[in-house]
């Protein structure tokens, strides 16, 4: 992968990136409104947050082409806070969460995403693809005095027909022309068709009215006390963790798709700044959005212009274009998101499940399922733990020793000396296997442990060395350690351990 120059980040294919940004903006609006409703706040807060976060991360972030906004994973985190303490505490949480994200970026911790194994990435992508698809099913329901019920009859038939037409356009149009994003043509075309035929179908305006004013500076109205910090900090920390995880995982995916290398620390810093700005201007918190990122990339969006256009268009929708935008059929947006879910899901992972090691297959399935039924942070953490335990188990079994006895003397009697040539890594998981390699009671009088092929990894390894020396000492045998690397020798000296003498 290569890093992009400033020119490559901004100038390539300006018309194509502007159209990709416009397409992405159409897809952002219903998602942000839905997430705002989930968080039980005014939908305009979701749109303001999307405008601010999308525009600022696109302009100043470290990954051109990636789309950030008011994400559902963040909305779920703060529902309880809004219900118990109100919107002002939410805004304070968004600001504090942004500060934590900024610290993460300033400390240059973005590189930690390299610790996420590839099976976890696959599970993350598959889980979010399923979530995207399942979330669209809510649009096939309608509110009644008895609660939310599924559509039926003519409304359901029209909805399904428009969804199918949208998906057909998105799949077929690229075979005819690539001059315009197929998702944009599908959304506009289905919208015009439904208006001309006066079809009985739900529109974006049925979710919420999006007309509003320019966001104004509005500092969170909360008391600046330790009690406020006690209430806000746990939510802010969880919001920062979830936001950073989803952003960095989407960041990696975008790197792979575009075959270019972004700057994760800069992206974390920009995400933190944008959340702080969103909080003080009355917007929701946010992070990278994999669905909208896939729409942008598949529409040809590769530069910062596409993300900046998407953010600015959301503001224009709110200020000037709400009467037109509210007429867009939800079916068109649902159809686009179904295509995104289908294209996001790593279908190849189903074919390789029986070919990869069982532990990797377990990680893929576990992360996918946990993402769907709980949340991203828990899923990724569980995946990393499973992968780490598997790694430790495999390496613990690889430690071994070659036993070399001294040559026999002239009288035919064996010389009382034996050498153990160790191979592998000595760490917390392999210390038991390490001890099993030796037999102090039945060994010869002089034993040499050759460590030239041994890597000493942690304090457990140092304790294992001392334990082994004590075992041979109690048996009245001499034990010598030779050929320790300079690194291993330094580690032992820092711990105050001398192994050359018994």
């Amino acid at each position: 992968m290569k890093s992009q120059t400033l020119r490559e980040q901004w100038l390539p294919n300006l018309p194509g990136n502007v159209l990709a940004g416009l397409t992405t903006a159409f897809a952002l609006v219903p998602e942000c409104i839905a997430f705002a409703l989930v968080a039980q706040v005014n939908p305009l807060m979701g749109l303001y947050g999307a405008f601010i976060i999308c525009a600022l991360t696109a302009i100043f972030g470290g990954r051109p082409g990636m789309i950030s906004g008011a994400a559902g994973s963040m909305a779920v985190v703060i529902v309880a806070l809004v219900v118990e303490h109100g919107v002002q505490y939410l805004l304070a949480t968004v600001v504090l969460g942004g500060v934590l994200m900024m610290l993460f970026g300033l400390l240059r911790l973005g590189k930690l995403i390299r610790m996420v194994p590839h099976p976890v990435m696959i599970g993350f992508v598959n889980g979010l693809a399923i979530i995207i698809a399942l979330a669209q099913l809510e649009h096939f329901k309608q509110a009644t005095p008895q609660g939310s019920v599924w559509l039926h009859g003519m409304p359901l038939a029209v909805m399904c027909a428009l969804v199918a037409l949208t998906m057909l356009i998105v799949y077929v149009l690229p075979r005819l022309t690539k001059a315009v994003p197929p998702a944009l043509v599908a959304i506009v075309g289905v919208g015009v068709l439904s208006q001309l035929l006066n079809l009985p179908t739900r529109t974006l305006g049925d979710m919420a009215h999006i007309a509003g004013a320019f966001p104004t500076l509005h500092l969170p109205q909360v008391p600046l006390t330790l009690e406020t910090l006690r209430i806000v900090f746990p939510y802010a920390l969880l919001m920062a963790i979830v936001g950073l995880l989803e952003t960095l995982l989407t960041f990696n995916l975008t790197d792979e798709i575009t075959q270019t290398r972004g700057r994760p620390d800069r992206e974390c810093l920009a995400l933190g700044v944008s959340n702080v700005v969103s909080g003080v201007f009355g917007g929701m918190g946010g992070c990278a959005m994999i669905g909208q990122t896939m729409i942008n990339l598949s529409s040809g969006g590769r530069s910062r212009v596409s993300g900046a256009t998407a953010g600015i268009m959301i503001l224009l929708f709110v200020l000037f274009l709400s009467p037109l935008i509210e007429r867009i059929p939800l079916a068109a947006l649902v159809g686009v998101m179904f295509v995104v879910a289908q294209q996001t899901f790593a279908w190849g992972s189903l074919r390789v499940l029986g070919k990869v090691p069982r532990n990797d297959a377990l990680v893929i399935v576990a992360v996918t399922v946990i993402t769907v039924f709980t949340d991203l942070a828990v899923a990724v953490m569980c995946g990393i733990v499973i992968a780490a335990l598997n790694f430790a188990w495999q390496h613990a079994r690889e430690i071994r020793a070659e036993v070399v006895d001294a040559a026999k003397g002239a009288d035919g009697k064996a010389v009382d000396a034996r050498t153990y040539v160790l191979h592998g890594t000595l760490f917390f998981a392999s210390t038991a296997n390490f001890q099993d390699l030796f037999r102090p009671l039945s060994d010869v009088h002089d034993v040499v442990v050759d460590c030239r092929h041994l890597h000493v990894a942690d304090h457990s390894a140092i304790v294992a060395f001392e334990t082994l020396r004590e075992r041979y000492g109690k048996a009245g045998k001499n034990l010598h350690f030779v050929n320790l690397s300079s690194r291993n020798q330094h580690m032992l000296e820092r711990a105050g351990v001398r192994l050359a003498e018994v």
Side-chain angles (χ1 to χ4, degrees):
M1 294 184 187
K2 66 173 185 176
S3 298
Q4 293 177 299
T5 64
L6 187 63
R7 180 184 180 87
E8 290 172 334
Q9 292 177 11
W10 282 98
L11 297 182
N13 189 19
L14 283 175
N17 278 278
V18 170
L19 289 176
L22 176 59
T23 307
T24 306
F26 282 128
L28 270 169
V29 172
E31 296 290 300
C32 294
I33 291 175
F35 297 150
L37 295 176
V38 167
Q40 301 188 26
V41 298
N42 189 324
L44 282 176
M45 290 185 64
L47 295 173
Y48 288 152
F51 152 60
I52 294 170
I53 295 171
C54 185
L56 289 183
T57 55
I59 295 171
F60 301 108
R63 178 61 272 175
M66 191 167 75
I67 302 297
S68 298
S73 55
M74 306 282 272
V76 173
V77 169
I78 45 83
V79 173
L81 175 68
V82 175
V83 171
E84 189 172 350
H85 298 283
V87 172
Q88 296 303 314
Y89 278 84
L90 164 62
L91 297 179
T93 301
V94 173
V95 172
L96 182 56
V99 171
L100 295 176
M101 293 176 186
M102 290 170 60
L103 289 175
F104 190 90
L106 289 172
L107 294 173
R108 305 180 67 84
L109 298 177
K111 62 179 72 72
L112 293 178
I113 195 62
R114 299 172 187 168
M115 301 295 292
V116 177
H118 189 66
V120 175
M121 279 291 300
I122 295 176
F124 156 77
V125 169
N126 289 351
L128 287 188
I130 295 172
I131 289 175
I132 290 171
L134 292 178
Q136 308 315 309
L137 299 181
E138 291 298 317
H139 299 302
F140 288 84
K141 297 179 180 179
Q142 62 182 353
T144 67
Q146 291 75 34
S148 181
V149 298
W150 291 97
L151 295 174
H152 58 276
M154 182 58 68
L156 178 60
V158 172
M159 182 78 171
C160 292
L162 293 180
V163 168
L165 176 61
T166 301
M167 296 177 69
L168 182 65
I169 294 173
V170 174
Y171 283 126
V172 174
L173 186 62
R175 300 182 181 182
L176 305 176
T177 178
K178 296 184 179 180
V180 289
L184 178 60
V185 175
I187 293 170
V188 174
V190 172
V192 171
L193 179 65
S194 66
Q195 290 296 314
L196 291 177
L197 299 181
N198 196 24
L199 297 176
T201 186
R202 297 178 66 211
T203 63
L204 190 57
D206 294 327
M207 290 186 68
H209 295 294
I210 66 172
F214 194 90
T216 57
L217 183 64
H218 179 77
L219 296 178
Q221 302 298 306
V222 295
L224 301 179
T225 63
L226 288 177
E227 178 62 19
T228 298
L229 182 63
R230 184 190 67 79
I231 295 171
V232 167
F233 183 77
Y235 291 99
L237 180 61
L238 185 56
M239 180 180 288
I241 292 172
V242 172
L244 288 168
L245 273 175
E246 186 160 356
T247 295
L248 290 173
L249 290 171
T250 306
F251 183 102
N252 269 6
L253 181 64
T254 308
D255 273 1
E256 292 180 9
I257 293 174
T258 61
Q259 290 298 300
T260 57
R261 188 180 301 280
R263 298 171 60 184
D265 296 319
R266 178 173 172 177
E267 184 65 33
C268 295
L269 181 59
L271 181 65
V273 171
S274 64
N275 271 274
V276 172
V277 175
S278 179
V280 299
F281 277 88
M284 286 177 59
C287 62
M289 303 176 72
I290 189 171
Q292 283 63 30
T293 297
M294 293 298 294
I295 290 176
N296 185 53
L297 296 176
S298 62
S299 300
R302 291 294 187 273
S303 74
R304 295 185 184 276
V305 171
S306 61
T309 300
I312 293 171
M313 287 305 304
I314 290 175
L315 179 63
L316 295 180
F317 292 165
V318 172
L319 297 179
F320 309 112
L321 303 176
S322 58
L324 292 176
I325 301 304
E326 289 177 2
R327 294 182 183 179
I328 295 176
L330 285 175
L333 301 171
V334 169
V336 170
M337 296 309 294
F338 273 144
V339 174
V340 169
Q342 180 270 317
Q343 294 178 343
T344 302
F345 193 91
W347 296 99
S349 63
L350 299 180
R351 295 193 298 270
V352 302
L353 278 180
K355 301 177 182 178
V356 299
R358 292 182 180 178
N359 295 307
D360 287 341
L362 173 63
V363 170
I364 294 173
V365 174
V367 174
T368 300
V369 172
I370 296 172
T371 299
V372 173
F373 289 100
T374 58
D375 61 67
L376 173 66
V378 173
V380 172
M381 292 301 178
C382 288
I384 292 175
V385 169
I386 294 172
L389 290 175
N390 173 53
F391 177 84
W393 176 256
Q394 295 297 331
H395 277 256
R397 298 168 60 186
E398 289 178 0
I399 193 166
R400 59 187 178 84
E402 296 177 11
V403 181
V404 180
D405 290 328
K408 293 184 178 181
D411 58 356
K413 295 182 179 180
V415 177
D416 199 21
R418 176 170 292 168
T419 300
Y420 287 83
V421 183
L422 298 177
H423 297 262
T425 303
L426 184 57
F427 65 114
F428 66 91
S430 62
T431 54
N433 291 339
F434 170 79
Q435 298 292 345
D436 290 341
L437 298 174
F438 300 91
R439 297 289 184 268
L441 295 178
S442 59
D443 245 337
V444 296
H445 187 267
D446 291 305
V447 174
V448 176
V449 179
D450 190 338
C451 301
R452 73 181 67 190
H453 303 301
L454 181 71
H455 175 63
V456 180
D458 57 10
H459 183 69
S460 296
I462 298 173
V463 173
F465 276 152
E466 291 185 298
T467 301
L468 184 64
R469 184 175 61 178
E470 291 173 0
R471 290 173 62 195
Y472 274 92
K474 290 179 180 179
K477 311 290 176 65
N478 294 326
L479 183 67
H480 303 275
F481 292 84
V482 297
N483 295 325
L484 282 163
S485 68
S486 57
R487 178 188 177 278
N488 291 345
Q489 189 67 46
H490 178 67
M491 180 184 294
L492 294 168
E493 289 174 354
R494 286 188 60 187
V497 177
R498 296 183 63 191
L499 296 178
E501 299 177 4
V502 179

